[in-house]
Structure formats: structure tokens, C-alpha cells
Amino acid sequence: MTLSPGDRDSLARAKALLENPGAAATVTNLIGMPIERALALMPERWADAVNAATRTALETALKAALLTLDDAPPSRSREFLHKLAVAATGAGGGAFGLAGLPVELPLSTTIMLRSIADIARSEGESLKTPAGKLACLEVFALGGRRPNDDAAESAYFAVRGVLAKAVSEAAQFITEKGLVEEGAPALVRLVAQVASRFGAVVSEKVAAEAVPVVGAAGGAAINLLFINHFQDMARGHFIVRRLERAYGAELVRAEYDRL
């Protein structure tokens, strides 16, 4: 079996989206300085605040994924409406800076999750199953390459490989017991692994918003950049999953590597 020309084009589009360097370069252009310099402006204990807010945001998103996501067909206007909503929360977060992060980030993350779910459904993903729901959460780990990533391997498939066991265990737990134990080890492990990646992206966002000239308007623009980034990651991710359902994971991976 080989991919049809149309599906090969779709896979090429997915790879172009998934292997991009992340949102940091675009944010650097917006704020007029490298992210590394913006990070240096942060107060000493900012990392603790970011880590705590990131974990809370993902736990909130996980609950939303498990309790509210279904197979209802998405509206064409939802992606745009989600962008407006995230821009509004970013404006609030930019106005209050780091102090507003514990409120703004869970809200923004949940809105982004809803947009990710719309994209998943549009690519034929079933959100009735725990695996489909957790695949939406998995998108938050797709933030582009990190310095310690293996340059010889696809960043996308490397992240999926790292998360595979945790996603499988969490899906099995939810299938058997539902969301009756929020502190269940399988769910805690998955959130921790996604948070380790998502936290790096959140750090870039917070650092950019901390630049004095950014303020509320810049916070809205930065949130738009980040939801665009995760919408792109979701589109690529669920194109690959759609093709894997049609052709098998091994063939799709081989074609992806050849592109």
C-alpha cells in the first residue's frame, strides 16, 4: 500500500507544520528582542510561578477534555472565535503581568483545547474515546525543538514516542475507571510529561509579556501567536493520525521521514 497523491500532499503539509521551530522566533520579532533577553528581565521566582500555573492549566484542560469533548461537528467560525477569546484573555494577562498568570493561563489553555478539539474532529478524530481526548492534550507538548532534542530524529515523532506509554496508561485507566481519581498516577504522569514541554512555551510567552513596552495590547498579540502555533500543531498532528488510521503507523512514519 502507498499513499495517494492527495494524502502524500497532506502529509507534506503536516510535516511542514509540525517541524517548525516554534513560536519563539515570531515572538522575538514582535517584542524586538531575543527571548533569552526577555527571560533575563523576569523576577527570580518567576519559574516557580510558571511551573505551578502550567500544571494547573493542563489539569483544567484535562478535565475539560474528558468531561466535555464529544464528536459534535465543529462550526467553521470556531477557530476565529477561539482566537478572539484567547486575545481577550491575553490582554488581561498582559495588563497584570506575572500576577495574572494563575488566572489567565488555565482559561487560555482551555480555550485552545476547544480549538484543538475542533481541528481534531475536522480530521475525523473520534473524541468519544479516551485516546482521542488525550490526543488533544498531547498537542500542548508539541512546542518545537528544545536544545537537548536529538537533531537526527523528527521532533514530532520523538515527542509522541516519549508520551506514548503515559498516554496509553492514562487512556486505559480512564476506560476502566473514568475520571474518579484525579490524582491517579497514570494521569499525573501524563500531565507531568506534557507540562515539561508546555512549560517551556509558557515561559517564552510570560517573558515576552514581561517586556515593559508590551502591556495589554502586546499580551493579546502574543496570545494570538501562541494559539496560531498550537492550531498549526493540532492540524499537523491530526492529519498524521488520520493517515495512520487509513494506512497504518509504520507506512506513514516511513513516508514522513522520506519527505
Side-chain angles (χ1 to χ4, degrees), residues 6-97:
D7 285 339
R8 192 174 292 109
D9 289 344
S10 293
L11 187 60
R13 179 191 177 200
K15 183 167 185 175
L17 292 171
L18 291 165
E19 301 296 338
N20 76 62
T26 310
V27 172
T28 292
N29 292 333
L30 176 68
I31 66 176
M33 69 171 66
I35 283 292
E36 291 77 9
R37 283 182 56 196
L39 287 170
L41 297 175
M42 300 298 293
E44 289 184 6
R45 302 195 63 176
W46 72 273
D48 292 338
V50 168
N51 289 338
T54 300
R55 183 67 66 92
T56 299
L58 288 174
E59 288 171 350
T60 301
L62 179 60
K63 293 173 189 176
L66 294 176
L67 296 177
T68 67
L69 298 185
D70 55 35
D71 285 341
S75 165
R76 290 185 179 180
S77 64
R78 280 184 180 175
E79 283 189 38
F80 178 71
L81 292 177
H82 288 144
K83 288 178 181 179
L84 291 180
V86 163
T89 62
F96 290 99

Side-chain angles (χ1 to χ4, degrees), residues 9-191:
D9 289 344
S10 293
L11 187 60
R13 179 191 177 200
K15 183 167 185 175
L17 292 171
L18 291 165
E19 301 296 338
N20 76 62
T26 310
V27 172
T28 292
N29 292 333
L30 176 68
I31 66 176
M33 69 171 66
I35 283 292
E36 291 77 9
R37 283 182 56 196
L39 287 170
L41 297 175
M42 300 298 293
E44 289 184 6
R45 302 195 63 176
W46 72 273
D48 292 338
V50 168
N51 289 338
T54 300
R55 183 67 66 92
T56 299
L58 288 174
E59 288 171 350
T60 301
L62 179 60
K63 293 173 189 176
L66 294 176
L67 296 177
T68 67
L69 298 185
D70 55 35
D71 285 341
S75 165
R76 290 185 179 180
S77 64
R78 280 184 180 175
E79 283 189 38
F80 178 71
L81 292 177
H82 288 144
K83 288 178 181 179
L84 291 180
V86 163
T89 62
F96 290 99
L98 189 60
L101 187 67
V103 176
E104 183 267 330
L105 186 62
L107 183 57
S108 295
T109 302
T110 301
I111 293 169
M112 286 192 289
L113 176 72
R114 302 303 305 183
S115 186
I116 289 167
D118 278 355
I119 292 168
R121 286 187 289 247
S122 74
E123 294 293 341
E125 190 77 30
S126 174
L127 301 184
K128 291 180 179 179
T129 66
K133 297 174 191 291
L134 294 176
C136 293
L137 191 71
E138 203 174 6
V139 171
F140 291 115
L142 304 176
R145 291 191 181 276
R146 299 192 305 186
N148 60 345
D149 285 340
D150 182 357
E153 186 174 13
S154 151
Y156 169 66
F157 280 105
V159 172
R160 282 186 66 181
V162 167
L163 295 178
K165 183 178 179 181
V167 170
S168 176
E169 290 176 349
Q172 182 177 354
F173 176 86
I174 295 163
T175 299
E176 294 175 354
K177 300 184 179 181
L179 193 65
V180 294
E181 300 177 36
E182 293 182 24
L187 299 177
V188 170
R189 282 194 294 272
L190 176 59
V191 169

